[in-house]
Amino acid sequence: MDPSKLFCLFCGCSVPNHNDTFREDEHYFLIRRPHFASEENFSDKITIQTMNCPNCHKVSIDIVGVGSQFPNRITHFNPISLAKAYPDYIPQTIRSDYEEAHAILNLSPKASATLSRRCLQGMIRDFWGISKARLVDEIDALKDIVDPSTKKVLDALRKLGNIGAHPEKDINLIVDIEPNEAHLLLKFIELLMQKWYIERHDNKQLLQDILDLDKDKQNQRRSKNS
Ligand SMILES: [Zn+2]
């Protein structure tokens, strides 16, 4: 977690950074064994970040690697995954791909990006009813439906997911994806879940509520007139 902008991973509220809400404890492997330590490996440590949410009182714990052996490696200890829980009206297969992509984020960012790509394909097929042999053609079919900036990002996500899905023939071309990069793709999937599924559902609900209200009022009028 970024100490300058803390958010509760359980309830999503922002958490102020002070002594009783956020702590960082450092663990050095070589601190009492100086004869093993060289300049280089003395900087290797893990930092355990603990955050206590004042709103829901749940404790989030991240373990962060620092130094040459495991730089920037983050393990989410509690909760294990940062995946959001989505409602049932989003198909199960789409939610499963999304949750798996989150679960594997730090272990294999490349596999995570591939799952994000599959999740995106599932969303385009289910939400827009567009189904073609290749994802590139499915995204192309969306060009008159979504705004140009979304279309560009959809293409970028497709290409990044390709890195894991289709290994390069030339071994020198292999590009790796970092956990924070794969996380960006998941953030974009979350944005689409919101913009597509949740907004459609909420809009439909609002319209239905107004129709129900109108029906209710008409019935009241009728019963008063009779
Ligand atoms: Zn909370």
Side-chain angles (χ1 to χ4, degrees):
M1 25 192 137
D2 176 356
S4 66
K5 2 173 211 203
L6 295 174
F7 285 95
C8 175
L9 301 174
F10 293 96
C11 73
C13 78
S14 89
V15 177
N17 180 354
H18 52 73
N19 289 343
D20 47 352
T21 54
F22 183 69
R23 269 178 55 190
E24 283 188 297
D25 297 299
E26 293 178 338
H27 176 87
Y28 290 88
F29 302 103
L30 297 162
I31 199 84
R32 285 187 199 88
R33 307 172 76 193
H35 50 289
F36 284 122
S38 68
E39 279 283 303
E40 197 181 295
N41 63 19
F42 203 68
S43 62
D44 288 350
K45 63 174 178 181
I46 56 171
T47 300
I48 301 168
Q49 300 179 321
T50 319
M51 182 178 64
N52 189 2
C53 171
N55 184 43
C56 71
H57 303 290
K58 285 189 172 157
V59 177
S60 312
I61 301 169
D62 274 357
I63 300 167
V64 185
V66 181
S68 58
Q69 290 189 52
F70 29 69
N72 305 319
R73 175 156 338 146
I74 301 173
T75 300
H76 305 295
F77 185 80
N78 190 47
I80 284 174
S81 165
L82 303 186
K84 292 184 179 170
Y86 281 109
D88 295 348
Y89 57 76
I90 299 177
Q92 176 68 53
T93 48
I94 292 171
R95 285 183 284 137
S96 302
D97 281 345
Y98 162 78
E99 282 161 19
E100 270 181 63
H102 247 300
I104 206 167
L105 187 59
N106 290 300
L107 279 175
S108 174
K110 218 190 298 185
S112 172
T114 308
L115 277 163
S116 285
R117 181 184 182 278
R118 196 169 87 161
C119 183
L120 171 71
Q121 185 160 37
M123 290 169 83
I124 293 175
R125 287 183 173 176
D126 173 70
F127 190 87
W128 296 107
I130 292 170
S131 190
K132 295 179 189 291
R134 299 184 310 161
L135 179 58
V136 60
D137 298 325
E138 291 171 335
I139 293 174
D140 220 43
L142 281 175
K143 68 173 183 290
D144 298 325
I145 305 173
V146 298
D147 58 285
S149 57
T150 303
K151 161 88 170 60
K152 267 192 200 158
V153 183
L154 290 171
D155 269 321
L157 198 163
R158 176 184 62 80
K159 284 187 248 164
L160 287 162
N162 269 345
I163 293 174
H166 309 297
E168 301 282 356
K169 285 181 194 80
D170 181 353
I171 199 144
N172 293 318
L173 286 178
I174 287 178
V175 199
D176 253 326
I177 297 182
E178 297 296 322
N180 58 334
E181 295 164 341
H183 195 200
L184 276 180
L185 303 187
L186 280 166
K187 291 237 172 219
F188 183 62
I189 296 278
E190 287 169 2
L191 180 78
L192 295 180
M193 294 267 206
Q194 178 67 36
K195 270 176 81 169
W196 294 357
Y197 285 99
I198 296 174
E199 279 186 13
R200 176 177 69 179
H201 175 268
D202 290 356
N203 288 348
K204 227 167 154 183
Q205 189 63 53
L206 175 66
L207 298 185
Q208 193 56 50
D209 287 349
I210 294 171
L211 292 179
D212 289 347
L213 176 69
D214 177 49
K215 206 164 146 195
D216 193 39
K217 294 291 162 194
Q218 297 305 332
N219 284 342
Q220 283 180 25
R221 272 178 64 192
R222 240 171 261 137
S223 57
K224 275 189 186 149
N225 285 343
S226 63

